[in-house]
Amino acid sequence: MRQEVRDHLIKEYNNLRFRRQYTAIKYRFRYNNVDVNIYFDTYDDKVPSMSMILAYARAYYYTSLNINNTEVRTEYLEKIPFAILNQILDESHHLNAFFAEIEKHILDNNKIVINYEKDTCFINTMKYSRSRTDLPFLQSLRKVKMPDDTLERLSETMGIDREILKKIQSEGFTIVRTDDIKKRKHLTAIIENAGISI
């Protein structure tokens, strides 16, 4: 995500009159017949939350996106249905044009202010994506050493600082994520709750 787009999203969210753990801004558009839904909030300013839901031909796909990453590689669109991936890849089999269109849409169009608990697209996608582990919100730490691939995925898709993740891993913990907005916690709170000093 280009710095200009990142700054725009943060400004748009911070300018909201009311901001709660369930408040987000949403951008919605269509790309090559795929419905694109982008959700963003900075409820936790250490880990801004950005997620994407794609819908095409009765297939739905959810992923977290790292707002700090300028490049999203295909391998981090884990378990994306081929029908959707085929629609969003460009002629060179890259996602550059797709993500450029997301950035353009965010800069050129008005946001929609939503409540995660009332957004039908978000609710239904979470409900029917129970097998996924890359859920949108941080919940707690579990006393199990974080595998290296989980550390990489959290760094790449959620933008959690790699040094913080390594500290959590070295203390023998892993991060638990949730799609239940009521269980959502700040990264600082879950680290302090486990007695880890960063």
Side-chain angles (χ1 to χ4, degrees):
M1 193 67 48
R2 284 183 293 140
Q3 187 68 38
E4 173 189 9
V5 181
R6 183 183 187 281
D7 293 347
H8 177 79
L9 284 166
I10 291 170
K11 181 180 177 187
E12 288 287 289
Y13 183 80
N14 287 340
N15 282 342
L16 296 180
R17 189 168 177 192
F18 297 104
R19 297 187 303 273
R20 305 286 184 267
Q21 73 189 74
Y22 50 76
T23 308
I25 56 176
K26 176 179 177 178
Y27 296 87
R28 185 174 175 200
F29 65 100
R30 186 167 274 218
Y31 182 83
N32 288 349
N33 297 315
V34 174
D35 290 322
V36 180
N37 299 273
I38 303 294
Y39 298 84
F40 177 79
D41 72 76
T42 59
Y43 168 72
D44 183 347
D45 59 359
K46 301 278 189 265
V47 187
S49 175
M50 186 172 193
S51 53
M52 174 174 69
I53 295 175
L54 305 176
Y56 174 74
R58 296 188 182 183
Y60 288 83
Y61 177 72
Y62 163 84
T63 190
S64 298
L65 295 173
N66 179 353
I67 191 170
N68 300 316
N69 196 351
T70 57
E71 178 183 327
V72 177
R73 299 188 301 275
T74 310
E75 60 264 30
Y76 287 102
L77 297 183
E78 184 182 0
K79 298 182 183 176
I80 186 169
F82 179 75
I84 294 177
L85 183 61
N86 195 43
Q87 290 296 114
I88 63 173
L89 287 173
D90 61 26
E91 303 82 28
S92 304
H93 300 286
H94 294 287
L95 295 167
N96 299 350
F98 173 64
F99 282 100
E101 188 60 31
I102 289 174
E103 290 184 342
K104 181 179 185 307
H105 187 84
I106 289 169
L107 292 174
D108 295 346
N109 292 275
N110 292 329
K111 66 188 177 298
I112 304 165
V113 180
I114 62 104
N115 176 335
Y116 284 114
E117 295 178 303
K118 295 181 180 176
D119 186 86
T120 306
C121 178
F122 188 84
I123 292 166
N124 289 340
T125 303
M126 292 298 108
K127 183 177 178 182
Y128 297 109
S129 299
R130 290 291 176 200
S131 63
R132 297 203 58 86
T133 56
D134 63 334
L135 298 170
F137 311 119
L138 302 179
Q139 179 180 341
S140 62
L141 296 182
R142 183 182 314 132
K143 189 64 176 164
V144 174
K145 187 173 182 183
M146 186 187 315
D148 290 339
D149 64 328
T150 300
L151 186 149
E152 290 303 320
R153 195 174 303 112
L154 286 166
S155 176
E156 287 289 334
T157 62
M158 291 196 84
I160 301 173
D161 184 273
R162 191 175 299 275
E163 293 308 309
I164 291 174
L165 290 169
K166 285 182 178 177
K167 179 68 173 172
I168 292 168
Q169 183 187 51
S170 72
E171 296 284 336
F173 288 94
T174 192
I175 291 179
V176 176
R177 294 195 273 178
T178 182
D179 60 0
D180 184 344
I181 195 74
K182 293 180 182 79
K183 295 178 180 176
R184 183 182 200 182
K185 303 283 187 300
H186 287 263
L187 178 62
T188 305
I190 65 174
I191 289 171
E192 288 174 356
N193 191 47
I196 299 173
S197 57
I198 302 292

